[in-house]
Amino acid sequence: MRKVIGFLLLLVCCCNLKAQEYNQINEDGTITTAAHRRSDSIQSQHKEIHRGLKVWTIDERFGDRTPAKPDTVQYLFMNSIFTTGMRGEYNTTGNLGAARQNRIFVDRHEQGHFVFTQPYDYFIQPVGTFHFTNTYTPITNLTFNTCGNRTNGEDHLKALFAVNAGKELGIGFKFDYLYGRGYYSDNSSALFDYTMFGSYIGDRYQAHLLTSLNHQKQAENGGITNDDYITHPESFGTNYSENEIPTMLTNNWNRNDNQHVFLSHRYNIGFHREVPMTQEEIAAKRFAMASQAENQAAEAKEAARNKARREGIEFDEEEYERQLEEQRALTRPEASDVTPADTTWTKREYVPVTSFIHTAQFDNYKRIYQAYNTPESYYANDYYVPATYTGDSIRDRTRHYELKNTFAIAMLEGFNKWAKMGVKAFITHSLRHFKMPNEEGNEASWNEQGVLLGGQLSKTEGETLHYNVTGEFGIVGEDAGTINIDGKIDVNFPLLGDTVQLAASGFFHHVKPSFYYRHYHSRHFWWDDDDLNMITHSRVQGLFSLQRTRTQLRVAVDNITNYTYFATHYSVGDDYLRTGNEVFVRQGKTNVLTAQLSQDFRFGPLCLDAVATYQRSTNEDVLPLPALNIYGNLYMDFLIAKVLKCHLGADVRWFTKYHAPDFVPGLAQYAVLENTDSRVDVGNYPIVNVYANFHLKQARFFVMMSHVNSTAGNYFLTPHYPLNERVLRFGISWNFFN
């Protein structure tokens, strides 16, 4: 695997060596192409104009575009490799590519219908966060990080390619392969994703297409048999390495295969009008004019030189250049020549008034839980013996697909001075299909349909006030009675020379628990309960930020009735084995208060960034949360030879002790342990990484020693699943433009 990856990196580097010499990516994510940096007689005198890459995300319901920044930032690049998140806010089972759950409740995603892929949300990217591209030159990105060796190491390779066929049409693909062999036995992971995307952005017609193929394979070891191997290793007569510590399960796997197709397109009706160009557009226009004039001048100069040669007269090079310079001065786009108030430069702009929108999404899933060797009495129940497959002890299968169509009409904001908001109305139809075994072990099917009606009011233009309110209501089928109301607002205003932002968001959701909370059939877990109550979840959240002091405060309050979750139960014997495993679906009521303070400090080259999050759940038996999560990053920010940007430092993540949810391998889900006598605490253990993080032109790379403080301690994020010990890691991300 590593030889293949090394060959691919070498091949791309060689093929793009010339592009590396002439192209660079800038701090704001824009790209300076070779044409803009070429030092000829006229362009070397021009103000550099950054042009190149633009990225955006789209709304999953309407396909509305929101500008975004490319992933080119040096800051915390070394933490982007972790399943535990950029600031260590996720619980995992330890290995790269493992299932995870966010400890910060307000940052958890809404429950989807296929719960088995939700713990892999870092790998299966939602449509709403995917970056579509528009680029002047083809762009390739390769990102690779590695650690360990062929026995226990972790490798992650990502490749991205994007190109435009004209101004309107952009296409590309993304390849993502993660392979974690696992430092503990029977804990390997292999995840694969291939995504193709395209967009067409015209005046009247716009479309976005996104397709992906995903595969996740995770070996499940059920955790180590005795936590004392980690917390009290001195109690054993032998020093055990990580792969020698006994685990509960062997030869067990979770496998997910899923395919996704998303299409959003719209037709706009509007009119054309003349509007002033922006300062950047004027400079770009004059730059193009100057380039064209220079080409014409070069051709004229060559013709004059040939004419002088034919007529046998001397060609005065200096006089000819002096005359050319006078002509160049007339079109040179100096910054002082272009002001925001310059209205002599205009462009013809299409102003959409009404849009007709259609969005279609198809998601197809298949899951298999496979086990060749299950300990005796590990499960409490045995509901059936498979009739069609007897090669292993467990082969649980379930399938699901969903087809969703949304039709919308939008009156767009800003087409005249009276249009202060955008208005949309929509209808959504969903068809959902599920397959699982029945009591005889044969495959049975379930179908659900639903229709939602809704609307949206929004204001996105301007610098002071923005808001968005969306409401949808279920009227037919399984979605009948559903109420989803989401809103957000932000106000930006100057204060003492700084910009202050006050933002608020909130929602009210009244929804039915998803299918697999109501129905699930497998060899050892089984439930059918159509009488589960509807979940009512409301949230109010406020955000205050001050740019000058780099301060951000977030406060949120959640109120949840009939919160639906998985609960588990097992017994721990004298030999520390966990037997009699069961899983239940429970509902309960809880409130959650969250307060998060982010503060960055700068003292010359010394930087200290800190994030502290306080949470309080009123019902820890239903929703256990750590009271305090802290992340700190202390580093030096400096340059070497004026070109190599360096971040040299250490960061730490820590949270208070709490009864964290257990991980259930047979479901690949986190579940609250109900029998209190078997609960164990995790937390109150700092995890420290030391790193050197670099950025040179188009390349970002790092060297990091993770978990440098690994000694005997409670370094568990999930009960019975220890973290890897001290590991040396390397990573690189390189952009190529050609």
Side-chain angles (χ1 to χ4, degrees), residues 227 565-573 576 578 584 586 619-625 657-663 671-683 714 716 718-720:
D227 292 355
Y565 63 99
F566 290 116
T568 186
H569 185 285
Y570 55 76
S571 300
V572 180
Y576 298 101
R578 298 180 287 279
F584 314 95
R586 304 296 195 203
N619 192 342
E620 292 285 345
D621 291 331
V622 170
L623 180 59
L625 298 171
K657 276 189 176 182
Y658 79 114
H659 300 311
D662 277 57
F663 183 74
V672 177
L673 183 60
E674 291 194 327
N675 47 321
T676 57
D677 57 323
S678 298
R679 288 179 178 175
V680 296
D681 289 336
V682 301
N714 188 25
F716 296 85
T718 299
H720 315 302

Side-chain angles (χ1 to χ4, degrees), residues 35 39 124 150 172 211 246 267 277 280 328 357 413 457 486 489 546 548 562 565 577 581 591 616 620 668 674 684 700:
S39 179
I124 304 175
R150 294 183 178 181
T211 65
Y267 185 79
M277 287 185 176
E280 182 181 8
R328 291 166 181 156
I357 303 167
E413 170 189 1
L457 298 177
D486 297 80
I489 184 172
L546 199 59
R548 175 181 294 177
N562 299 321
Y565 63 99
L577 297 181
N581 283 267
N591 297 324
R616 183 178 182 274
E620 292 285 345
E674 291 194 327
N684 195 27
R700 296 176 290 166

Side-chain angles (χ1 to χ4, degrees), residues 23-26 29-33 36 50-53 139 737:
N23 298 279
Q24 70 181 34
I25 194 160
N26 308 296
T30 58
I31 297 168
T32 303
T33 61
H36 300 137
H50 298 155
R51 303 162 63 188
L53 176 65
I139 296 175
F737 316 103

Side-chain angles (χ1 to χ4, degrees), residues 315-447:
F315 180 69
D316 191 341
E317 188 90 19
E318 293 184 0
E319 175 62 20
Y320 196 89
E321 282 295 331
R322 186 188 64 80
Q323 296 177 10
L324 278 180
E325 182 59 28
E326 292 178 356
Q327 297 178 10
R328 291 166 181 156
L330 299 177
T331 55
R332 184 176 301 150
E334 300 291 352
S336 59
D337 296 337
V338 183
T339 65
D342 190 348
T343 59
T344 60
W345 295 77
T346 62
K347 64 179 180 179
R348 189 167 175 81
E349 178 184 75
Y350 186 76
V351 182
V353 176
T354 303
S355 293
F356 297 92
I357 303 167
H358 171 230
T359 298
Q361 186 167 355
F362 179 75
D363 300 305
N364 186 41
Y365 301 91
K366 180 178 72 172
R367 173 185 182 263
I368 298 176
Y369 178 65
Q370 198 170 7
Y372 289 93
N373 185 14
T374 303
E376 185 178 357
S377 301
Y378 182 77
Y379 294 104
N381 302 298
D382 197 346
Y383 290 100
Y384 74 96
V385 176
T388 58
Y389 194 90
T390 58
D392 55 7
S393 60
I394 305 174
R395 188 177 173 82
D396 295 335
R397 297 183 62 182
T398 183
R399 295 172 179 263
H400 162 60
Y401 69 76
E402 180 178 16
L403 176 63
K404 182 187 296 184
N405 282 277
T406 298
F407 298 90
I409 300 176
M411 300 293 293
L412 302 182
E413 170 189 1
F415 66 87
N416 64 44
K417 63 180 181 179
W418 306 109
K420 299 300 183 181
M421 68 176 70
V423 181
K424 297 184 178 76
F426 66 90
I427 183 171
T428 299
H429 174 265
S430 297
L431 170 63
R432 299 185 287 269
H433 179 76
F434 304 88
K435 285 187 176 181
M436 292 184 299
N438 56 21
E439 290 81 356
E440 290 78 29
N442 299 315
E443 198 169 59
S445 299
W446 289 259
N447 291 303

